[in-house]
Amino acid sequence: MVKVRVKYPGLIEDRMKSGNIRYLVRVKGSPSQRITLSVTPQDEGFQKCYLAARSGVKLAPEKTSAEKATRGTVAWLAHSYIAHLGQMVKAGQASPYTLKQRKPFADELIAFKSTSGMSRQKPYAELPMMIPHDELIKFRDHFAATPGKAKNMFKFLRAMYAWAVDRAYCDSNPALAIKVVYKSAGGARPWTLDDLEQYRKVHPFGTPAHLCLTLFMFTACRIGDAIEIGRANEFKQDGQLWLGWQPNKKGSRYVEIPVLPPLKKAIRAQSVIGKSYLLTAHGKPFSSPEGLRNRLQKWCEEAGLIGRSSHGIRKAAGHLLSLHGATQYEIMSVHGHANASTSEIYTQGVERRRLAASATSKLAGLDW
């Protein structure tokens, strides 16, 4: 048996011959007495079961949200799907960011009140899981002012019902028939050269804020990857320092890029060395993308830049690469895009300007 290095005194991790892990707790005041837990540190109710075990009481596992719900209802289906997604994350088969995004959608779906017939004003939680077409239309229209959210909500619904159909919980996927019209407003605002200069004036070389901007600018990484990238991602190729990482976003390709002098200078100037390049004020890696996002927002506000984001830096990097002659496929390799159409947004305008200049030059010698 090997002690788990966590904050719970008396907690023991026992790896069995099968390879599975069980957790035991030494009873306080009676070291030889141990109680096997029915939950893991990642499960709901762990704290309660652990504290009871320390006092010598073994609690029966609490019912899960799906078990508490009436089978066949929207609540039962949504909770069951989220629980499955959680298991997939633990097994490394799904992204934790997908789970984090979809759980609030499940909660919102369950709490939403019906607008139809005999079920009017009843929360979806209590209703049969097969939501009628007309009701789903009204549910979609509820998000008219937030089309981006509507798109993601129905992406969640389609995935949930597809999962249910695969397990014969229902016969069809009612969300497939619902069209969600989404017109992008352009997404994150790309940083301009003036923005970059203004930010660096307020946050000079050697500051964590400067390092953050430099990392985003010279890797074009996403914020979910920025909190993890560090010295473990470095490797040498032909005598030059490179970085390599697998982006967390599902479907992204592995990225390998050379470390250019500005980035190398910035990361080597760090006075505190940690697992990742970007560290909190306490010298620890950021625990979540949101933590870094909030920190960057404060740095931007200090520089007088409102409405800027890390994704806007990524866009700026894409546009600058294109302006300096990078092809669509070269930008794909830097950004980790799997589809050329995703990188086309950076080259489209630049390429059209080049073609326009080439075309109009043919009229330069015209005798008019």
Side-chain angles (χ1 to χ4, degrees):
M1 293 186 183
V2 181
K3 290 183 180 180
V4 180
R5 295 180 180 177
V6 291
K7 61 181 179 180
Y8 299 105
L11 179 64
I12 300 170
E13 180 185 272
D14 180 21
R15 186 175 293 277
M16 298 179 289
K17 290 182 179 180
S18 63
N20 294 327
I21 296 175
R22 63 176 178 173
Y23 291 89
L24 303 92
V25 176
R26 287 192 182 94
V27 176
K28 191 173 182 180
S30 181
S32 62
Q33 185 182 356
R34 298 172 182 179
I35 292 178
T36 302
L37 298 181
S38 57
V39 293
T40 73
Q42 289 74 40
D43 293 328
E44 289 183 26
F46 172 80
Q47 180 85 2
K48 186 176 180 180
C49 290
Y50 162 78
L51 292 174
R54 282 289 279 169
S55 65
V57 177
K58 182 172 182 176
L59 293 181
E62 289 189 10
K63 287 185 176 182
T64 64
S65 298
E67 290 170 338
K68 292 176 182 177
T70 302
R71 188 178 179 86
T73 60
V74 172
W76 174 81
L77 177 61
H79 287 313
S80 298
Y81 171 67
I82 292 299
H84 162 77
L85 198 55
Q87 291 299 321
M88 293 294 285
V89 170
K90 288 182 182 179
Q93 299 299 309
S95 168
Y97 302 116
T98 300
L99 175 61
K100 188 169 185 177
Q101 181 199 50
R102 290 186 179 175
K103 188 173 186 315
F105 286 140
D107 294 338
E108 187 166 356
L109 174 73
I110 291 168
F112 193 81
K113 292 184 178 179
S114 173
T115 60
S116 305
M118 298 294 290
S119 65
R120 185 180 297 275
Q121 289 305 304
K122 288 185 179 180
Y124 279 6
E126 306 169 7
L127 302 178
M129 62 182 174
M130 287 298 288
I131 303 174
H133 179 83
D134 290 349
E135 181 66 29
L136 276 178
I137 292 291
K138 293 175 181 177
F139 182 57
R140 178 202 64 190
D141 292 346
H142 170 72
F143 300 100
T146 54
K149 184 176 181 180
K151 177 186 175 183
N152 288 324
M153 171 62 83
F154 274 82
K155 185 177 180 180
F156 153 71
L157 284 174
R158 293 183 189 108
M160 180 184 72
Y161 278 114
W163 174 82
V165 170
D166 192 45
R167 285 156 183 76
Y169 294 150
C170 57
D171 297 326
S172 61
N173 188 334
L176 286 177
I178 309 298
K179 293 182 179 180
V180 180
V181 179
Y182 172 68
K183 189 177 291 185
S184 174
R189 176 179 177 179
W191 287 46
T192 65
L193 291 176
D194 288 340
D195 292 339
L196 296 171
E197 183 177 354
Q198 184 173 333
Y199 182 96
R200 286 181 295 154
K201 279 183 180 178
V202 176
H203 303 294
F205 176 81
T207 61
H210 183 279
L211 173 61
C212 181
L213 175 66
T214 305
L215 182 69
F216 280 122
M217 197 66 204
F218 288 91
T219 64
C221 66
R222 295 182 178 87
I223 197 163
D225 302 320
I227 63 173
E228 299 176 355
I229 295 174
R231 298 198 175 213
N233 299 96
E234 297 177 4
F235 67 96
K236 286 285 186 73
Q237 183 160 307
D238 298 328
Q240 184 174 4
L241 185 65
W242 284 60
L243 284 175
W245 73 92
Q246 175 58 54
N248 286 304
K249 185 173 182 180
K250 184 179 179 181
S252 296
R253 301 292 174 83
Y254 190 79
V255 175
E256 291 182 337
I257 59 171
V259 178
L260 296 180
L263 177 57
K264 184 177 181 180
K265 184 180 176 183
I267 59 181
R268 292 297 185 256
Q270 288 178 288
S271 57
V272 179
I273 308 300
K275 185 178 178 181
S276 58
Y277 292 139
L278 301 181
L279 304 173
T280 67
H282 302 290
K284 303 289 185 181
F286 287 88
S287 59
S288 69
E290 285 69 29
L292 178 56
R293 185 175 289 112
N294 292 336
R295 182 69 264 182
L296 177 60
Q297 185 178 355
K298 290 180 181 178
W299 285 331
C300 288
E301 289 172 355
E302 290 169 2
L305 300 172
I306 307 301
R308 307 303 192 279
S309 67
S310 61
H311 199 71
I313 305 173
R314 180 177 164 86
K315 283 189 170 185
H319 288 307
L320 285 173
L321 283 168
S322 180
L323 285 169
H324 284 80
T327 67
Q328 188 172 331
Y329 293 97
E330 287 172 332
I331 295 174
M332 278 180 67
S333 67
V334 173
H335 280 56
H337 292 152
N339 299 312
S341 59
T342 311
S343 299
E344 186 181 9
I345 59 173
Y346 301 114
T347 59
Q348 200 172 48
V350 174
E351 189 60 29
R352 286 178 68 86
R353 286 193 291 273
R354 287 180 185 144
L355 290 172
S358 175
T360 54
S361 69
K362 293 175 172 55
L363 300 177
L366 184 65
D367 185 10
W368 187 256

